[in-house]
Amino acid sequence: EIRKKGFLGSLSKNRPSLKLDFSEHVKGRTFNEMKRMTLNNNRQDASHARQCMAYDIYRKSGIAAPRCNLARVSVNGEYMGVYTHVESIKKPFLEHSFGDKDGNLYEAQIADFGTHLNDKFEKKTNKKENDRTDLSAISEALSLDDGDFITAISSLIDLEEFIRYWAIDTLLGNWDSATGNANNYYIYRNPNDGLFHYIPWGTDLAFTGSHDFHPDSGPLYRNIKLASRLYANEQYKAKYHATL
């Protein structure tokens, strides 16, 4: 199955981004061990470079991030140009990135934690059970006072890893991101450690933020609730600056 994809800035009638699903009509079918392919039209990335460079830097920083390369795309014999081929965040990605594909995966587009805001997270695995109590636990932790907050959130989210993720968002000027715009990210609760891990997505606007190397630039240190609460804690504020 082939379908158009895109969200706001990447939508295009003439040169749409594409998703290919190899198993939609033949269950279990793969292509080069992939169940799906994501081909981005680079409408917001005329350099064809930002996405792959950004994902590579996240990975080199110890963050699980999709693999990425470039592709020349033709549809029904018509050459569409150069696209960015980004690994889909599906169970094969979870298996090779975390060693376990059975945890809860959520996609976030303009989403942050909160009693009612949790509905903004789209559950991508274990959908039949639809158990979202792990999100509720994070919202409850964020409502605690400073003394209890760190203890509670440390048992739910890999904070050391999140700080690295947050720092890379800032250093790349990646403003349309989890810590920049509460957008373009996944979270995965890995059964191996019981913790949530952040996964970057939609990095076509990386390297475009102003004052990329200034630790307090733009909203990148205070937009989402988790970053805002950690930045208000002197210990974690210092860890964030040291990581930068």
Side-chain angles (χ1 to χ4, degrees):
E1 180 184 70
I2 301 174
R3 68 175 177 87
K4 294 194 295 183
K5 71 168 285 283
F7 184 67
L8 297 180
S10 61
L11 291 173
S12 171
K13 290 182 180 179
N14 301 321
R15 193 172 176 271
S17 294
L18 301 168
K19 280 202 171 183
L20 286 70
D21 188 335
F22 302 110
S23 62
E24 176 68 19
H25 302 294
V26 180
K27 189 174 181 180
R29 180 170 60 182
T30 62
F31 174 72
N32 285 348
E33 300 182 356
M34 294 182 293
K35 293 174 65 177
R36 297 193 181 190
M37 286 180 68
T38 299
L39 297 166
N40 290 331
N41 61 7
N42 299 337
R43 187 180 179 193
Q44 298 184 108
D45 182 10
S47 69
H48 306 304
R50 295 177 192 152
Q51 295 166 79
C52 290
M53 286 198 301
Y55 290 130
D56 188 54
I57 291 170
Y58 283 107
R59 281 196 307 276
K60 286 179 177 176
S61 303
I63 306 298
R67 293 171 292 186
C68 178
N69 61 14
L70 300 178
R72 294 186 177 94
V73 176
S74 296
V75 177
N76 295 330
E78 180 183 351
Y79 180 59
M80 305 291 285
V82 174
Y83 279 60
T84 296
H85 170 211
V86 181
E87 181 179 15
S88 298
I89 309 300
K90 299 292 180 183
K91 286 189 175 182
F93 169 86
L94 300 177
E95 182 73 54
H96 76 70
S97 297
F98 298 99
D100 195 312
K101 60 185 180 182
D102 295 326
N104 285 344
L105 174 71
Y106 299 90
E107 182 177 6
Q109 289 186 332
I110 313 297
D112 198 357
F113 298 108
T115 303
H116 301 292
L117 293 176
N118 282 353
D119 292 341
K120 293 286 188 179
F121 290 92
E122 181 182 354
K123 197 169 191 193
K124 308 300 285 188
T125 59
N126 305 319
K127 289 185 280 189
K128 287 184 179 179
E129 297 88 337
N130 199 29
D131 181 358
R132 299 164 63 92
T133 54
D134 46 11
L135 296 183
S136 299
I138 294 176
S139 298
E140 290 168 8
L142 286 163
S143 70
L144 297 173
D145 60 33
D146 292 344
D148 295 327
F149 162 67
I150 292 297
T151 300
I153 205 70
S154 296
S155 68
L156 299 168
I157 296 173
D158 186 330
L159 292 186
E160 297 293 330
E161 183 182 273
F162 173 75
I163 287 172
R164 273 184 278 123
Y165 182 103
W166 178 16
I168 296 300
D169 269 358
T170 301
L171 291 172
L172 297 187
N174 189 21
W175 62 268
D176 193 18
S177 64
T179 64
N181 196 35
N183 194 32
N184 287 326
Y185 66 102
Y186 287 78
I187 54 173
Y188 179 61
R189 190 180 184 196
N190 185 2
N192 288 326
D193 59 16
L195 300 176
F196 271 108
H197 302 261
Y198 279 66
I199 302 166
W201 187 249
T203 58
D204 50 342
L205 289 174
F207 305 101
T208 63
S210 60
H211 307 296
D212 296 356
F213 295 97
H214 193 291
D216 295 345
S217 65
L220 291 171
Y221 70 102
R222 55 186 166 82
N223 188 283
I224 61 172
K225 293 176 183 176
L226 177 59
S228 180
R229 291 295 301 275
L230 292 176
Y231 201 80
N233 178 289
E234 289 302 319
Q235 177 187 357
Y236 282 89
K237 179 179 179 180
K239 284 186 177 184
Y240 168 64
H241 285 163
T243 302
L244 284 169

